[in-house]
Amino acid sequence: MRNEIPLEENLNSGHLACPGCGGSLSMRLALKALGKKTYLVLTACCWSIIDGPFPYSAVKLPLMHTAFETAGSASSGVRAALDILGKKDITVMAWAGDGGTFDIGIQALSGAAERNEDFIYSCYDNEAYMNTGIQRSSGTPWGAWTTTTPESKGEQKKKMMEIMAAHRIPYAATLSPAYPEDFIRKYKKAKSIKGTKFMHILSPCPPGWKTSSEQSMKLSRMAVESGVFPLYEVENGTKYTLNYPSADFKIKPINEYVSMQGRFRHLNKEQIKFMQENVTSEWQRLLRKLKYA
Amino acid sequence: MKEVTTGNHAVSYGAMLSRAQVIAAYPITPQTQIVELLSNFCATGKLKAKFIKVESEHSVMAASIGASLAGARAFTATSGQGLALMHEMIHWAANGRLPIVMADVNRSMAPGWSIWTDQNDTLSQRDTGWIQLYCESSQEVTDSIIQGFKIAENVYLPVMVILDAFVLSHTSEVIDLPDIKLVDKYLPPFKPKDKLDLKNPRAFGGLVTPDFNFELKYKMQEAMNKTIPVAKWADREFKRVIGRSYGIIEAYKCEKADTILVTSGTITSTSRYVINQLHAQGKKNVGILKIRMFRPFPAKEVVSVLGKAKKVAVIDRNIGYGVGGIFCQEVKAAFGNEKKHPEFFNFITGIGGRDVTPKDIQGIIDYTETHKKPKEEIVWVGLRK
């Protein structure tokens, strides 16, 4: 089998991510796929720290840090400048966490998507405000412990992919660093499409999920195989393509995925059963969309 | 070329003549006409710019910041609530040292809802590191936008060009639009010394530890110190190339004045009218100091004009709650280390779009002349009792 993962490295070693950070591996893969002609727009998130303090930077590309809620708008400005200056071959990639995407940044993201601005929006979703110390976001799953949901989160995770698909943007995809070939392929595809591209990456966070560092990739894979975070693509808001697991795959029970994580430790059997029912019904909903969309 | 235009369209012409390259804007009364005319310029090719119709003023400034950092000349306009919504990014633009120019149509802050003028929206932004220019006429608006880019791109601080809602924004007058060839001569294309660049990849705006941040703020202040000579130079150059000049302040008929009115914005024109009449009647002891540049505050220049007067009447179309008029506070502070200073009178008027008439100005002069000292810290003019 041919290795499709480029050898090019645009992320330096020596960055400030925690061991086992899904976000740092995801950035590494994304930059491999996009190559050197890329501008990065980074909003407040773990990556504001991971990149390193002034005068250091962990990426080998031009990078603009911007305010929390401005990934969509600041990238629109960068894109506009590049277009008017005739530098149309440079890719603009916005990079934000789940808080910066699902919550505070959703207005600017929605605005940019409605205008179909030509850039790639990457959301690395570690399912809480991890940079500030594990507070719930609307990307936090039902039942998870965080410092602001000390009992457990009582609300379901916001369906971000559906929100983005409803904008009828040309391309939206879910990605996992445990599936690097799929990851690279999707970024390359996103780069080849004009308009707004939304990349939703489930990104394990050892301190926030209360897991050990070496479990991150295993957890990433289990999230996909259990149907918690299936990998799929949506083109123009209507055309759904499922990547992993395949439609005939019998999704694995979530028990192991849940029991490995300290943030779900307090859940009893019935609560886990409730989670399982939700995951199963969402999986079935996705399969129906594949069929009818 | 002579053109009958409103203050708002004077803004649009200024941006067009400056060859703005990226305009991100959101419509807000009373700024809307600025955006409409610029949309038209972009649609008809009169201005080769990317116009991003963003979904909020916060995004306006974020997009302008992105565009400026990527190397384009960025322009926008807002007003009142919109400016307040931008506030976070207003800081970001200045601390990022990005030479963005923005017009603000002064609008009173809600509640109660108001679309009419006073200066509290822009004065709330005075400590953000933006240069502020307050305009008296549509001609000055167009010229200040062009000068604004010249100043901004030489000191790497953003510039706010400010005009009163309706009194100026929607009032038509004849202005002289400078020939674009002359403007090109005055304002060369934007070539930032630092920007996002593939050949020299760097990170901008990241985490700065206490080891460096203090010095960055010091450099902001240094840039502000540089702004006054740069603005004077930009104004002189404007005179040389285009034929008009404004100064950073303007002393009007102050030679023999022992009472000087301190004004800003359109109240200056009303005051000029009154002073001209008084001078025609042979009463030459009253003059005007118009403050055009409010940030950086031209303290030395203000003191050199006002220091010769016995009484100074500062007319504020704003209020710093708990203190008084904001221009008055700044004028007083300028005299902080001076041995001698005139008697200061602080008049507050015209808030929320209340008309300021020649009669009001005459009343201010009369009050100042008939009182040795002000009876109250703040004298409210035209207040309904």
Side-chain angles (χ1 to χ4, degrees), chain A residues 36 39 53-54 57 60-67 69-70 73-74 76-78 80-81 84-85 87 107-108 115 117, chain B residues 48 50 52-56 58-59 62-63 65-67 69-70 88-89 92 196-198 201-207:
Chain A
K36 284 248 174 332
Y39 281 6
F54 171 84
S57 177
K60 298 179 185 175
L61 304 168
L63 189 159
M64 170 192 184
H65 289 268
T66 184
E69 63 279 47
T70 63
S73 45
S76 301
V78 172
I84 199 81
L85 296 169
K87 299 174 182 171
Q107 176 181 310
R115 298 188 302 273
E117 300 279 359
Chain B
K48 282 190 191 67
K50 280 292 247 185
I52 321 174
K53 282 120 184 171
V54 276
E55 80 300 330
S56 83
H58 193 280
S59 288
I65 287 164
L69 189 59
E88 182 193 20
M89 304 319 288
W92 201 289
L196 296 168
D197 185 5
L198 291 177
R202 283 179 291 168
F204 293 90
L207 183 71

Side-chain angles (χ1 to χ4, degrees), chain B residues 41-338:
Chain B
F41 287 159
C42 291
T44 55
K46 220 172 166 184
L47 173 61
K48 282 190 191 67
K50 280 292 247 185
F51 197 126
I52 321 174
K53 282 120 184 171
V54 276
E55 80 300 330
S56 83
E57 283 91 347
H58 193 280
S59 288
V60 163
M61 193 42 63
S64 303
I65 287 164
S68 185
L69 189 59
R73 184 173 282 162
F75 176 81
T76 188
T78 191
S79 180
Q81 306 297 129
L83 181 62
L85 179 57
M86 270 183 204
H87 177 72
E88 182 193 20
M89 304 319 288
I90 289 287
H91 276 285
W92 201 289
N95 288 334
R97 305 297 301 270
L98 298 168
I100 298 161
V101 172
M102 171 166 72
D104 182 87
V105 187
N106 269 151
R107 167 179 164 175
S108 192
M109 297 302 295
W113 278 120
S114 170
I115 51 171
W116 296 276
T117 197
D118 69 48
Q119 299 166 324
N120 267 61
D121 59 343
T122 48
L123 289 172
S124 307
Q125 311 296 333
R126 69 176 176 170
D127 300 327
T128 54
W130 280 61
I131 294 159
Q132 290 198 343
L133 301 174
Y134 286 81
C135 296
E136 183 188 348
S137 66
S138 291
Q139 184 71 64
E140 189 177 354
V141 166
T142 299
D143 296 348
S144 294
I145 301 279
I146 301 165
Q147 284 194 5
F149 280 111
K150 182 92 169 172
I151 299 167
E153 291 170 12
N154 276 284
V155 296
Y156 289 96
L157 286 174
V159 171
M160 213 179 275
V161 175
I162 299 149
L163 56 152
D164 289 318
F166 298 104
V167 184
L168 187 51
S169 70
H170 286 63
T171 306
S172 294
E173 59 182 300
V174 177
I175 73 163
D176 181 22
L177 286 182
D179 187 331
I180 192 145
K181 283 187 201 128
L182 293 181
V183 179
D184 284 346
K185 214 172 129 193
Y186 175 76
L187 187 67
F190 177 43
K191 286 206 179 83
K193 56 179 182 194
D194 294 306
K195 60 172 182 175
L196 296 168
D197 185 5
L198 291 177
K199 288 189 203 114
N200 182 18
R202 283 179 291 168
F204 293 90
L207 183 71
V208 182
T209 60
D211 278 348
F212 294 102
N213 206 345
F214 194 33
E215 283 70 23
L216 291 180
K217 304 304 186 224
Y218 169 80
K219 285 187 164 190
M220 294 273 294
Q221 175 57 27
E222 271 199 319
M224 275 286 175
N225 291 339
K226 221 173 94 183
T227 297
I228 288 180
V230 166
K232 284 180 179 172
W233 162 78
D235 193 49
R236 276 198 309 273
E237 280 294 292
F238 198 83
K239 168 93 180 168
R240 189 175 66 79
V241 179
I242 291 158
R244 282 183 293 274
S245 83
Y246 299 90
I248 55 172
I249 57 167
E250 182 196 344
Y252 185 68
K253 296 193 194 286
C254 285
E255 301 80 17
K256 294 177 188 163
D258 43 36
T259 295
I260 297 179
L261 307 181
V262 175
T263 62
S264 59
T266 52
I267 286 178
T268 312
S269 294
T270 314
S271 303
R272 264 185 222 277
Y273 171 79
V274 175
I275 299 296
N276 286 345
Q277 283 201 327
L278 291 177
H279 278 250
Q281 291 158 18
K283 189 173 155 43
K284 297 188 175 179
N285 65 329
V286 192
I288 300 170
L289 175 68
K290 163 182 159 182
I291 295 182
R292 177 170 180 246
M293 173 178 275
F294 180 73
R295 274 293 178 273
F297 193 72
K300 207 176 78 196
E301 288 78 2
V302 165
V303 167
S304 78
V305 175
L306 298 183
K308 294 176 201 147
K310 290 194 185 100
K311 290 175 180 174
V312 167
V314 185
I315 307 176
D316 271 303
R317 195 168 210 158
N318 62 73
I319 171 95
Y321 298 107
V323 185
I326 295 169
F327 278 77
C328 187
Q329 297 303 316
E330 301 264 347
V331 167
K332 281 184 186 171
F335 279 90
N337 284 333
E338 301 293 322

Side-chain angles (χ1 to χ4, degrees), chain A residues 150-212:
Chain A
E151 305 275 300
S152 77
K153 193 192 176 202
E155 304 83 27
Q156 295 285 358
K157 182 178 176 117
K158 200 184 270 184
K159 293 276 161 204
M160 202 59 212
M161 277 292 283
E162 292 195 25
I163 291 168
M164 294 316 294
H167 285 77
R168 300 285 196 270
I169 52 172
Y171 189 63
T174 58
L175 303 89
S176 163
Y179 295 78
E181 286 90 352
D182 180 72
F183 199 107
I184 296 281
R185 181 186 64 78
K186 283 173 176 166
Y187 265 95
K188 284 191 168 169
K189 185 169 177 179
K191 190 183 169 179
S192 74
I193 297 168
K194 203 170 152 56
T196 307
K197 286 80 63 174
F198 179 74
M199 316 297 266
H200 187 183
I201 308 159
L202 184 70
S203 173
C205 171
W209 291 13
K210 305 286 171 210
T211 53
S212 58

Side-chain angles (χ1 to χ4, degrees), chain A residues 135-152:
Chain A
Q135 294 84 30
R136 64 88 85 185
S137 77
S138 60
T140 303
W142 181 91
W145 166 92
T146 68
T147 58
T148 52
T149 51
E151 305 275 300
S152 77

